[in-house]
Each structure stands twice: as C-alpha cells, then as structure tokens.
C-alpha cells in the first residue's frame, strides 16, 4: 500500500464513475474524487491518470488535471491573489489559492505583487503552504557541480553584488552584476553555467560558458543568424550590450570576439551600419 504524495503528481487508477466525476484509487488514503470538469474525455474505470493531488475547501484530498505553477518541494515566483487577517493567498494555477501565513512572510505581502516562495507541507496542519523565507529550504550541502556545467536557475533577488538565484530547485547561487549583460528580474528562469563552487558551498555562476569554445560556438550561431536574415544584420561593435544580449543571449565581449573570428575567416564584411556575408 502506498501513501498519496500530497501537493505533487500521482499516477492513479480510475475505480468508478459518478455523475459529478470519477473516483480514483488512493490506496490507504481512500478513494479520491476527480471532479467532472477535469475528467479527460473518454476516461473510464480501469484507466490510469496522472493527476495533481491537493486539499479542497473542506481539507479533503481532491484530484485535478490542471497543472499548478509549482509542486511541494519546489520554488516559484507567484502573484498574491488576495490577503486577509491570517496571511496572503497566492495564485498557483488551481481553484484554491496557496496560503502564506504571516509568520512565513519576510515583508507583509501585498495583493497583485509577485514573491519568490518555497512550497511545502505544514508539519502541524498537513496543509500545503508557501514560505517567502526561502533560505531555510535551500540545501546546506555543497553541490558536486563541475566547472562550466549547465544548470537551471530561478532568479531570486538583487543585491549589491548581483543577483541571488536558486539552482536546480535546490542550491543557492550568485550571478555577479559585472558579468550580467541582460535585464533580470525575480521569477525569471534562465540557463546558467557553473563558474566555481566555493569552499563554503556557495556557487558562482555565469550566463555563458567560459573559454574559446564559447566564442567558436557563438561564431557558428552568428553566421547562421546572418545567413537567415538575407546576408546582412544591422549590428556593429557600437551596438548596445543589452540589445545584443536580448537578440543573441551573449555578452557584447563574446559578440565582438565572434565577429572578429568570422572576419578573420573571411566569412563577413564589416560595414559602417552592420555585418554582411562575403559575396552578398
């Protein structure tokens, strides 16, 4: 017999059909209702469904085929739908909003604003709740990342040094402001590369791979981009770094190195208002 993973996806078997939906086999947790509005067309007893399990207004287990923005054990940036005398309620993509008690708020949350939170089960009430005190849910163990390893990060908050991020839903990391060439804001999910893991377990990241391979990789990308735009693009070494990053996802330094690489290989001509393929 298995316990239901509350606040996460579960593969459950349909055991019976009723007027108002389907009942799913929750083993020792009993039968769990999937309301009619969420039942995939043609589903019948004996079928298996991948459903998200949470608690309804009466604190009973209920299933849905809607996809929440976050599951238990994960971090996300969510908008406050409403507040009351007990705390804030976040929109996480389901009918019932996600509760953040006052004790789990760093600052008093305001309706309409977005906050990075961690979602977990409250040990006392067994309810799914969120906390803005995300530091306590980050791993204290040093990660075993290799130099230049690609990771997924959630942008968390800006500091004087740069941007704090959450790596792979588990570790704290930092993108230093002198190495960030694009506009970041809390809640963005981006790819990054490990620069180093410090002795204290903290991880320094960059948004581009280091070394010559990065330039060679981007040279190929830039050449293909020019070919795909009729053989000419209106970019030069005077182009704005933010525009370059928004277009190509690389720093101006990497862009200029790749331009130099293509020019040396006689793939492009440098014109006053842009880059042109040779022979175009």
């Amino acid at each position: 017999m298995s316990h239901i993973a509350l606040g996460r996806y579960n593969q459950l078997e349909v055991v019976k059909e009723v007027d108002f939906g389907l009942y799913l086999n929750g083993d020792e947790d009993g039968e769990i209702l999937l309301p009619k509005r969420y039942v995939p067309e043609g589903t019948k007893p004996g079928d298996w469904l991948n459903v998200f399990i949470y608690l309804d207004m009466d604190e009973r287990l209920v299933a849905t085929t809607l996809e929440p923005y976050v599951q238990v054990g994960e971090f996300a940036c969510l908008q406050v739908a409403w507040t009351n005398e007990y705390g804030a309620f976040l929109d996480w993509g389901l009918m019932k909003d996600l509760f953040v008690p006052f004790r789990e708020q760093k600052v008093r949350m305001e309706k309409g604003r977005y906050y990075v939170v961690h979602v977990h089960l409250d040990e006392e009430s067994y309810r799914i709740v969120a906390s803005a005190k995300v530091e306590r849910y980050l791993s204290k163990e040093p990660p075993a990342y290799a130099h230049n390893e690609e990771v997924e990060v959630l942008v968390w908050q800006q500091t004087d040094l740069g941007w704090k991020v959450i790596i792979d839903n588990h570790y704290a990391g930092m993108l230093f402001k002198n190495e960030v060439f694009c506009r970041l804001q809390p809640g963005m999910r981006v790819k990054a590369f490990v620069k180093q893991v410090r002795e204290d377990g903290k991880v320094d990241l960059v948004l581009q791979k280091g070394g010559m391979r990065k330039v060679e990789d981007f040279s190929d990308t830039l050449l293909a981009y020019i070919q795909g735009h009729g053989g000419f693009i209106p970019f030069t070494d005077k182009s704005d770094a933010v525009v370059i990053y928004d277009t190509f996802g690389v720093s101006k330094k990497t862009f200029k190195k790749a331009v130099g690489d293509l020019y040396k290989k006689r793939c492009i001509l440098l014109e006053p208002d842009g880059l042109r393929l040779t022979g175009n």
Side-chain angles (χ1 to χ4, degrees):
M1 302 290 271
S2 61
H3 271 296
I4 290 296
L6 180 60
R8 299 194 65 82
Y9 288 101
N10 294 255
Q11 288 275 352
L12 301 180
E13 185 181 9
V14 178
V15 289
K16 68 182 175 193
E17 190 173 357
V18 290
D19 290 344
F20 45 88
L22 300 175
Y23 277 104
L24 312 176
N25 181 10
D27 285 338
E28 58 193 61
D29 289 297
E31 293 180 350
I32 299 171
L33 177 67
L34 175 64
K36 192 170 186 175
R37 66 167 76 92
Y38 305 128
V39 174
E41 194 174 342
T43 307
K44 58 190 183 304
D47 290 347
W48 287 78
L49 293 175
N50 189 40
V51 291
F52 184 82
I53 303 295
Y54 68 120
L55 298 174
D56 66 13
M57 299 297 182
D58 298 315
E59 306 297 329
R60 294 173 303 198
L61 291 174
V62 66
T64 181
T65 49
L66 291 177
E67 294 183 15
Y69 305 142
V70 61
Q71 297 187 68
V72 161
E74 297 179 348
F75 300 87
C77 188
L78 302 174
Q79 186 179 30
V80 177
W82 55 291
T83 62
N84 67 10
E85 65 270 32
Y86 302 108
F89 296 82
L90 310 179
D91 174 13
W92 63 321
L94 300 180
M95 291 282 286
K96 184 185 174 189
D97 295 318
L98 181 62
F99 182 49
V100 189
F102 284 130
R103 68 176 182 275
E104 298 297 337
Q105 299 179 25
K106 280 183 156 182
V107 295
R108 188 60 64 94
M109 289 182 166
E110 298 174 26
K111 181 180 176 180
R113 297 193 65 175
Y114 286 83
Y115 300 88
V116 174
V117 295
H118 179 265
V119 179
H120 58 278
L121 294 180
D122 181 71
E123 291 178 0
E124 292 177 16
S125 67
Y126 197 56
R127 291 176 182 169
I128 303 168
V129 296
S131 173
K133 297 178 179 179
V134 298
E135 293 94 338
R136 71 167 73 134
Y137 300 101
L138 292 165
S139 175
K140 305 296 187 289
E141 297 296 315
Y145 289 126
H147 176 65
N148 266 346
E149 185 171 341
E150 185 178 302
V151 293
E152 290 278 344
V153 304
L154 171 67
V155 179
W156 171 17
Q157 66 184 46
Q158 192 169 16
T159 71
D160 291 340
L161 293 175
W163 285 93
K164 286 184 178 180
V165 299
I166 298 167
I167 309 167
D168 290 339
N169 227 26
H170 212 59
Y171 302 103
M174 174 67 78
L175 287 163
F176 289 95
K177 63 182 177 184
N178 63 335
E179 296 177 319
V180 173
F181 308 98
C182 63
R183 297 183 187 92
L184 294 179
Q185 60 186 39
M188 288 179 69
R189 293 185 184 272
V190 296
K191 282 184 168 46
F193 299 90
V194 175
K195 187 176 182 182
Q196 66 172 342
V197 179
R198 296 173 180 258
E199 287 183 6
D200 61 5
K202 290 178 181 170
V203 185
D204 296 342
L205 302 159
V206 290
L207 292 174
Q208 305 140 332
K209 263 188 181 172
M212 194 58 207
R213 182 72 244 161
K214 171 179 70 180
V215 178
E216 290 169 4
D217 287 347
F218 179 62
S219 295
D220 295 340
T221 302
L222 181 60
L223 184 60
Y225 186 88
I226 301 170
Q227 290 167 339
H229 287 75
F232 177 83
I233 59 170
F235 285 87
T236 70
D237 59 3
K238 303 286 193 296
S239 295
D240 185 89
V242 172
V243 175
I244 287 171
Y245 192 91
D246 286 347
T247 307
F248 301 106
V250 299
S251 68
K252 188 168 180 177
K253 184 177 175 184
T254 298
F255 176 80
K256 287 171 75 171
K257 280 184 179 175
V259 169
D261 183 47
L262 293 177
Y263 181 70
K264 280 181 202 164
K265 292 176 181 172
R266 299 185 181 177
C267 296
I268 59 171
L269 300 171
L270 308 182
E271 298 188 351
D273 57 346
L275 308 175
R276 189 177 299 279
L277 287 183
T278 50
N280 273 58

